[in-house]
Amino acid sequence: MRNWNFHIATLLFVMSITFSLLSQSPFMLETGADRILKLVWILPFSFLMLTTPQSFLSNRLFPFYAFIIMMVLYAGFCQVLTGNQHFTPDIYNIFISLIITMASYNYWLHYGNYTVMRNICIIMIVCGILLSAELYLNFLQSADLSSKSYAYEDKNSIGQILLCCIFLPFMFYKPNNKNIQRVIWISSIFIFIVIVMLRSRATFISALFIIYYLFAHLSSKKTKRWMVALFLLASIIILVNANLYELIINGIILGGRDTTDINSLSSNRLLAFSIAFKLIPQNLWIGSGNYYVDCLPLNILTEFGVIGLTLFAVFVIHLIYQVRKHKDESKLALTSYILLIAFLLNGLFEAYPPFGPGVKCFSLWMLYGFLLSRYNEKGEIANNSTTK
């Protein structure tokens, strides 16, 4: 029976990861099929709830339970008090993140092993290639990278998804076969080129942090010196070459925006910020309800006020503490820590990371669930962890 449970749980879990990735396909987004694919996490969650219900009562999941319950009760209280809509997409995104965390925690607690992690990495590489190829062939191959208009408007979510399709295999999948290694490197380079062509500046920030952290903390001194030298050389070449400067600085990094217009340069965020700053004093403590502004802390403050932002900040600080305290002894903890900070940086320029929108951030909550399952009763990483 256990073998059957393992096969069914693994199949449903792998389906959830695959469908989460494919839900970001332009075709799926255009047809609305992404809404159906995003719901697939309910399947492994429901199966694990039926077969191993006691695991969901773990005190390791309690902070997440407490957070979502408090946010739901608080949103209901604010909505009754103000008459405004406080059940915003933030509540939905937090709930989806909880479902993914619970399913991942329970799955890894009972069935997790290196083979499963290797298969997850292969799925992410393959789906990353498919998504990148679709974007390139349908949107990017003839795009004007110096134009103010983007070739693909949903660039931020797909950019972060593709970044995870490179990052997780880099951390967890080290095949011995040289040919397979070359294929992965070539695939990763192709995916990264597509990320650059998407011109998602919020994704650039996340990518730069990941690259910086990996080289600053995990590389040898010799590698660091070579990387600094190559970076300086590339910077000089870009600065002295007018065509490269126009393409890379003005086109890709600045997005073809008018550098003399701060609102244009910020993709109209400045205007949205000014509206938010007018709304905040009106309901400082409990917020004004549903309002979208491309900055996570400002978005939470506007929607839920100082009290809501405090609840949110306490939980995020708890997350950072949980993943940071074991980052030097567990690859799961280290990867979760890097990904959490990368998504939080992304959240300075987007409204929903690290919780959403939808399943955009599923990689983080999947890893966080895996990590929690490796804690022993003393809050230490268990020695039998399969992904140290």
Side-chain angles (χ1 to χ4, degrees), residues 25-84:
S25 162
F27 174 77
M28 296 297 177
L29 294 172
E30 290 172 4
T31 59
D34 64 299
R35 298 187 183 93
I36 299 174
L37 295 181
K38 291 173 182 177
L39 296 175
V40 76
W41 282 99
I42 295 175
L43 297 179
F45 171 81
S46 301
F47 179 78
L48 291 165
M49 177 68 80
L50 290 172
T51 56
T52 55
Q54 69 281 358
S55 299
F56 287 92
L57 300 178
S58 171
N59 57 7
R60 301 170 203 170
L61 294 171
F62 176 77
F64 220 138
Y65 292 153
F67 177 56
I68 186 64
I69 290 172
M70 285 190 293
M71 288 300 296
V72 168
L73 293 176
Y74 177 70
F77 168 78
C78 293
Q79 188 158 317
V80 170
L81 194 64
T82 65
N84 298 329

Side-chain angles (χ1 to χ4, degrees), residues 246-260:
E246 180 66 27
L247 174 64
I248 296 176
I249 303 299
N250 290 335
I252 294 176
I253 296 179
L254 298 181
R257 303 286 174 171
D258 182 2
T259 56
T260 63

Side-chain angles (χ1 to χ4, degrees), residues 45-249:
F45 171 81
S46 301
F47 179 78
L48 291 165
M49 177 68 80
L50 290 172
T51 56
T52 55
Q54 69 281 358
S55 299
F56 287 92
L57 300 178
S58 171
N59 57 7
R60 301 170 203 170
L61 294 171
F62 176 77
F64 220 138
Y65 292 153
F67 177 56
I68 186 64
I69 290 172
M70 285 190 293
M71 288 300 296
V72 168
L73 293 176
Y74 177 70
F77 168 78
C78 293
Q79 188 158 317
V80 170
L81 194 64
T82 65
N84 298 329
Q85 180 58 257
H86 280 80
F87 284 99
T88 69
D90 293 285
I91 302 295
Y92 167 79
N93 290 328
I94 294 170
F95 184 75
I96 290 295
S97 300
L98 173 60
I99 293 293
I100 296 171
T101 302
M102 288 192 294
S104 301
Y105 169 84
N106 208 337
Y107 174 79
W108 202 259
L109 184 67
H110 296 283
Y111 309 115
N113 55 60
Y114 175 76
T115 301
V116 172
M117 181 61 79
R118 182 192 63 188
N119 292 336
I120 289 172
C121 292
I122 293 173
I123 290 169
M124 297 196 75
I125 280 285
V126 172
C127 289
I129 294 171
L130 293 175
L131 291 172
S132 299
E134 182 183 5
L135 287 169
Y136 180 78
L137 293 174
N138 294 329
F139 298 94
L140 301 176
Q141 63 177 334
S142 59
D144 181 5
L145 297 183
S146 63
S147 172
K148 181 179 177 180
S149 300
Y150 293 104
Y152 186 67
E153 289 300 324
D154 293 324
K155 61 190 185 306
N156 294 322
S157 290
I158 191 68
Q160 291 289 115
I161 286 284
L162 291 178
L163 185 60
C164 292
C165 287
I166 300 174
F167 179 52
L168 265 66
F170 177 83
M171 294 297 290
F172 292 108
Y173 187 39
K174 301 293 189 293
N176 294 323
N177 188 293
K178 296 290 185 181
N179 291 326
I180 295 177
Q181 290 179 14
R182 293 189 188 99
V183 169
I184 292 175
W185 273 104
I186 293 171
S187 301
S188 298
I189 291 171
F190 171 64
I191 295 171
F192 187 76
I193 290 172
V194 170
I195 292 174
V196 171
M197 294 181 71
L198 286 169
R199 299 191 295 166
S200 169
R201 291 177 288 175
T203 303
F204 291 165
I205 299 296
S206 297
L208 285 174
F209 170 76
I210 291 174
I211 293 170
Y212 163 78
Y213 192 95
L214 291 176
F215 282 108
H217 295 271
L218 304 180
S219 301
S220 65
K221 291 183 179 180
K222 183 178 180 180
T223 302
K224 292 175 185 177
R225 286 195 293 267
W226 272 108
M227 290 305 300
V228 171
L230 289 173
F231 176 77
L232 291 175
L233 178 61
S235 300
I236 292 171
I237 293 173
I238 292 171
L239 290 174
V240 300
N241 187 298
N243 292 331
L244 285 177
Y245 183 89
E246 180 66 27
L247 174 64
I248 296 176
I249 303 299

